[in-house]
């Protein structure tokens, strides 16, 4: 190298050190005088053209040779030297050395970030008129326009709960960014103002490495730099907004660019972690390439909790644009009531205008990030990308009904039945828990040729006529028509506030019910939820079903387990609630989590029961078991297993319960903390006689909502806080919930 430098540039080197680099080998050259950078590229026509493009870039902009590396001519006056090294044809390129401290090593101040924004704005303003064929024809993975080149690399990300974040942003990119990206303002930009390519100087900034310079949407310049500015910050948006402000002051941004900046920054994060994951597999020792990986993951995990509307409004604000005005909640409610009956209720004293959601976070139109500690329907997480993708793909391919043959029906049925004991080996697909419970009752009445049905007090099983008839929670409450004569009501086996509270309580409740049933004609079926949800998250007393089921079966009564709330691993310890009770039902009802929000339900039963139902009358559900639903159902099961969500429910659920139990020690108003896995009920009381504290439950629910945390209330007195979050709920989330709960209890009203 020394000899080549001497020969072609007449430079006498005092020291050569290797610098990090991607495509070229880079060296820092110390001389008696000023230092230089030498880049050595393997020769090809294409590389030559490409590097000449970079030279033209530097020529075009007004940055001096201390601010951007200028290429210095060799002794023949040529900017690039073509020569040989160890029989390989190479290109030598000598550059001015840019002094300064890397932005990555500099303490960031708002002022610095603002100035940096201005600097990039100025650069892009000048580049607007720059044209260069070589640079324009670069097809780089690091150009956000080519995010599809990056997408397949996500498979190298080892941890599925990390991978899902990346897949989410890729999915969002496809629907939100791809259609508009080509319409944005384009030009050649530097495209890699990362904090190891930017040098902070006394009076400005230096910029190195034009290796990623590309023709792309101009806003990408800002997005890429913003990613690094946001990294490691408590409030990344605040810092990025400062840079946006500086940039906009010099080179005006358009609203439509600001609208997608949040996703472009996510796109760069995705590129960064995917490339790192790929490199980590290919070259585990190249630390340079992985340098920003940890920071990028931290920011991605933070980014997922940023409401995109909040980001947009902050960026608007930085540029002096009006924030997006949303419709007043009262007006929306009024309109809704003019169209939809008030019986279709709205939660919270201060209802929420929802805009979007991801995993365990929801985002309202006001820009808040809301922790979802309540909704169990988005079981594997709101908008899980695997579920979204499954739906989108199948929706655009085929959606029909069970009268035709298609693979997904058999595949899904097999995958779902695999989760059940061998005796439960037939499935009917419907579209809701209500349709499932209705069908379950039909199956039972058909099989037994009996009418009577046993139900548990405070149980809820659905909104159809049959559903209401078997739901004491409905028929015995406001507006209900009371118990029909076919119904035999079992006292809820509640060990907290029921008649029996000791270790034999389960058996005692069961004996009582069997006694009670003796006086009526035999039942077709007995239906119960393993934890009575609407009844206030009351786990059936231990031993209740274990004692009851065999006796009922002896009487020819079928046992139905309503797993709409308790199924799919939510219990943490078991995949189905009935397994927790050590029993096997004859019929199982599935709903809510089965489709992660897509309207699905299912009834699982034995061959015998389903054969009896095949009595000549066709069973047909227009939508039940359609290919889209089946693909979604498969994806849900894949995610539960792939992300080990049952284990998460167990670990986080235990931790959450422990935190609530600790809180209970300080606040006697917390009477009981109960449930399993990520299915908890916190019962609020007034005194030692367990007088229900309905007002406090309501206050907690509403104050948590104001703190942007979702829970709800239930139970016969509406005095139980229920928390059944998406299964990806984590320990930080549990702490956030319990801390906020603590704050509400601490502030006396
Ligand atoms: N069973 C149980 C235990 C439920 O909680 C529900 C819904 N809350 C249903 C059945 C009815 O399901 P869907 O609302 O899907 O009709």
């Amino acid at each position: 190298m020394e000899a080549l430098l001497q020969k072609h540039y007449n430079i006498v080197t005092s020291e050569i050190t290797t610098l990090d680099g991607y495509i070229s080998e880079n060296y820092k050259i110390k001389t008696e005088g000023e230092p230089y950078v030498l880049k050595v590229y393997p020769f090809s026509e294409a590389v030559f053209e490409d590097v000449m493009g970079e030279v033209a870039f530097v020529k075009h902009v007004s940055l001096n040779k201390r601010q951007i590396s200028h290429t210095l001519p060799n002794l023949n006056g040529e900017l690039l030297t073509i020569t040989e090294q160890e029989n390989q044809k190479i290109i030598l390129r000598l550059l001015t050395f840019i002094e300064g401290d890397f932005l990555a090593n500099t303490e960031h101040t708002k002022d610095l970030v603002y100035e940096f924004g201005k600097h990039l704005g100025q650069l892009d303003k000048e580049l607007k008129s720059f044209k260069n064929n070589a640079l324009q024809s670069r097809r780089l993975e690091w150009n956000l326009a080519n995010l599809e080149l990056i997408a397949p690399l996500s498979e190298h990300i080892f941890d599925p709960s990390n991978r899902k974040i990346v897949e989410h942003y890729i999915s969002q990119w496809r629907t939100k960014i791809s259609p508009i990206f080509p319409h944005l303002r384009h030009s050649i930009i530097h495209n890699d103002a990362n904090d190891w390519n930017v040098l902070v100087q006394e009076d400005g900034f230096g910029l190195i490495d034009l290796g990623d310079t590309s023709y792309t949407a101009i806003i990408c310049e800002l997005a890429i730099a913003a990613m690094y500015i946001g990294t490691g910050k408590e409030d990344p948006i605040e810092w990025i907004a400062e840079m946006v402000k500086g940039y906009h002051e010099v080179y005006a941004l358009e609203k439509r660019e600001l609208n997608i900046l949040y996703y472009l920054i996510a796109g760069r994060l995705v590129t960064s972690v995917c490339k790192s994951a790929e490199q980590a597999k290919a070259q585990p020792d190249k630390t340079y390439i992985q340098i920003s990986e940890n920071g990028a993951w931290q920011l991605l995990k933070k980014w997922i909790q940023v409401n995109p509307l909040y980001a947009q409004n902050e960026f608007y604000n930085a540029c002096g644009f009006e924030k997006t005005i949303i419709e007043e909640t009262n007006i929306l409610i009024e309109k809704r009531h003019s169209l939809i009956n008030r019986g279709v209720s709205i939660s919270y004293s201060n209802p929420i205008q929802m805009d979007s959601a991801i995993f365990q976070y929801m985002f309202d139109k006001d820009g808040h990030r809301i922790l979802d500690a309540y909704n169990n329907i988005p079981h594997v997480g709101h908008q899980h990308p695997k579920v979204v993708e499954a739906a989108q793909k199948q929706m655009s391919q085929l959606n029909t009904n069970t009268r035709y043959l298609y693979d997904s029906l058999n595949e899904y049925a097999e995958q779902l039945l695999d989760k059940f004991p061998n005796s439960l080996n037939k499935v009917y697909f419907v579209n809701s828990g209500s349709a499932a419970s209705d069908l379950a009752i039909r199956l039972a009445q058909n099989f037994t040729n009996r009418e009577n049905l046993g139900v548990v007090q405070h149980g809820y099983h659905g909104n159809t006529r049959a559903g209401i008839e078997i739901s004491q929670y409905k028929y015995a409450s406001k507006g209900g028509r009371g118990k029909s004569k076919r119904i035999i009501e079992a006292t809820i086996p509640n060990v907290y506030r029921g008649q029996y509270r000791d270790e034999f309580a389960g058996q005692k409740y069961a004996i009582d019910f069997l006694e009670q049933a003796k006086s009526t004609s035999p039942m077709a079926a007995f239906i119960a939820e393993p934890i009575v949800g609407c009844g206030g998250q009351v786990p059936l007393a231990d031993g209740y079903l274990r004692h009851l089921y065999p006796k009922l079966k002896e009487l020819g009564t079928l046992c139905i387990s309503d797993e709409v709330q308790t199924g799919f691993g939510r219990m943490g310890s078991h995949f189905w609630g009935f397994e927790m009770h050590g029993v096997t039902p004859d019929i199982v009802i599935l709903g809510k989590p089965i489709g992660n929000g897509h309207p699905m339900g299912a009834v699982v039963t034995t061959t015998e029961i389903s054969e009896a139902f095949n009595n000549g009358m066709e069973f047909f559900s227009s939508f039940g078991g359609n290919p889209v639903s089946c693909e979604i159902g498969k994806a849900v099961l894949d995610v539960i297993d792939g992300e080990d969500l049952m284990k998460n429910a167990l670990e986080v659920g235990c931790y959450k319960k422990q935190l609530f139990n600790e809180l209970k020690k300080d606040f006697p108003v917390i009477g009981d903390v109960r449930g399993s896995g990520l299915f908890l009920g916190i019962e609020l009381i007034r005194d030692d006689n367990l007088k229900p504290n309905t007002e406090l439950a309501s206050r907690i629910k509403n104050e948590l909502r104001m703190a942007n945390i979702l829970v709800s209330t239930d139970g016969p007195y509406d005095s139980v806080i229920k928390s059944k979050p998406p299964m990806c709920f984590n320990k930080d989330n549990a702490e956030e919930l319990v801390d906020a709960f603590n704050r509400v209890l601490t502030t006396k009203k």
Side-chain angles (χ1 to χ4, degrees), residues 122-193:
Q122 181 58 37
L123 176 70
D124 289 347
K125 196 173 171 181
E126 292 177 10
L127 285 171
K128 200 176 155 205
S129 55
F130 176 56
K131 302 270 180 293
N132 183 277
N133 285 341
L135 296 183
Q136 229 149 310
S137 58
R138 275 182 175 177
R139 188 166 168 271
L140 304 178
E141 284 175 315
W142 291 92
N143 179 351
L144 286 171
N146 300 328
L147 198 78
E148 283 300 343
L149 296 176
I150 293 296
L153 304 182
S154 64
E155 73 178 45
H156 299 301
I157 298 167
F158 182 71
D159 180 347
S161 53
N162 283 345
R163 197 186 317 125
K164 73 175 183 183
I165 302 177
V166 164
E167 288 170 346
H168 164 67
Y169 282 121
I170 291 170
S171 156
Q172 292 292 302
W173 190 277
R174 286 175 180 154
T175 50
K176 297 201 167 100
I177 308 304
S178 293
I180 59 171
F181 195 96
H183 303 284
L184 299 171
R185 294 184 300 168
H186 275 55
S187 101
I188 292 171
I189 59 168
H190 178 274
N191 200 46
D192 192 17

Side-chain angles (χ1 to χ4, degrees), residues 180-381:
I180 59 171
F181 195 96
H183 303 284
L184 299 171
R185 294 184 300 168
H186 275 55
S187 101
I188 292 171
I189 59 168
H190 178 274
N191 200 46
D192 192 17
N194 81 60
D195 50 6
W196 292 104
N197 277 347
V198 176
L199 291 125
V200 180
Q201 300 168 340
E202 245 166 51
D203 52 353
F205 297 90
L207 197 56
I208 59 171
D209 192 357
L210 301 186
D212 288 333
T213 292
S214 296
Y215 180 79
T216 189
I218 295 168
I219 183 71
C220 293
E221 190 86 283
L222 197 49
I224 289 163
M227 183 208 120
Y228 299 91
I229 291 302
T231 300
K233 303 296 195 304
E234 182 65 29
D235 181 353
I237 297 291
E238 193 186 333
W239 286 85
I240 293 168
E242 207 60 39
M243 195 167 76
V244 170
K245 185 176 167 200
Y247 188 102
H248 180 74
E249 274 176 23
V250 177
Y251 190 29
L253 290 159
E254 295 178 358
K255 268 185 159 182
R256 61 185 182 146
E257 292 170 327
L258 297 173
N259 292 349
I260 60 162
L261 184 53
Y262 166 88
Y263 290 104
L264 296 177
I265 294 169
R268 174 62 176 206
L269 283 163
V270 162
T271 307
S272 179
V273 297
C274 282
K275 288 299 290 174
S276 292
E278 182 197 35
Q279 296 289 341
K281 269 206 167 162
Q283 301 162 272
D285 53 330
K286 263 222 164 178
T287 50
Y288 162 64
I289 294 158
Q290 293 160 42
I291 213 157
S292 57
E293 187 187 22
N294 287 340
W297 275 117
Q298 272 169 20
L299 185 55
L300 263 180
K301 286 172 188 179
K302 214 168 240 229
W303 211 241
I304 208 85
Q305 297 189 48
V306 172
N307 184 336
L309 286 180
Y310 167 76
Q312 178 183 310
N313 274 328
E314 290 303 298
F315 300 152
Y316 273 16
N317 193 35
C319 298
F321 296 133
E322 286 277 313
K323 288 190 177 187
T324 318
I325 304 194
I326 64 166
E327 199 157 3
E328 265 182 55
T329 302
N330 284 346
I331 295 174
L332 276 181
I333 295 174
E334 222 169 275
K335 170 133 198 218
R336 169 156 155 167
H337 288 332
S338 75
L339 301 165
I340 291 160
N341 190 272
R342 283 167 194 266
V344 182
S345 74
I346 307 169
S347 291
Y348 308 112
S349 338
N350 186 356
I352 308 171
Q353 292 192 41
M354 281 300 182
D355 185 68
S356 64
I358 181 64
F359 308 131
Q360 64 272 48
Y361 308 106
M362 300 188 80
F363 303 119
D364 68 5
K365 290 208 170 173
D366 284 319
H368 297 112
R369 164 275 207 194
I370 301 171
L371 176 64
D372 189 355
Y374 168 50
N375 288 291
N376 53 346
I377 300 172
H379 191 66
V380 299

Side-chain angles (χ1 to χ4, degrees), residues 492-498 500-502 505-506 509 538-539 541-542:
I492 186 165
N494 181 343
V495 291
Y496 176 63
R497 57 163 65 246
Y500 307 121
R501 302 181 190 178
D502 62 19
Y509 283 113
V538 180
D542 185 35

Side-chain angles (χ1 to χ4, degrees), residues 483-498:
K483 186 171 84 66
S484 94
K485 57 181 189 313
R486 293 199 292 190
I487 299 300
I488 301 141
E489 247 172 45
T491 305
I492 186 165
N494 181 343
V495 291
Y496 176 63
R497 57 163 65 246

Side-chain angles (χ1 to χ4, degrees), residues 718-734:
D718 218 16
S719 56
V720 181
I721 299 285
K722 55 177 170 181
S723 177
K724 294 174 284 190
M727 296 275 282
C728 47
F729 206 72
N730 60 37
K731 289 187 177 173
D732 287 345
N733 300 147

Side-chain angles (χ1 to χ4, degrees), residues 22 67 107 128 217 227 263 333 371 398 431 635 688 709 715:
Y22 243 146
Q67 293 170 312
E107 195 192 329
K128 200 176 155 205
M227 183 208 120
Y263 290 104
I333 295 174
L371 176 64
L398 172 76
N431 311 109
D688 290 344
I709 299 176

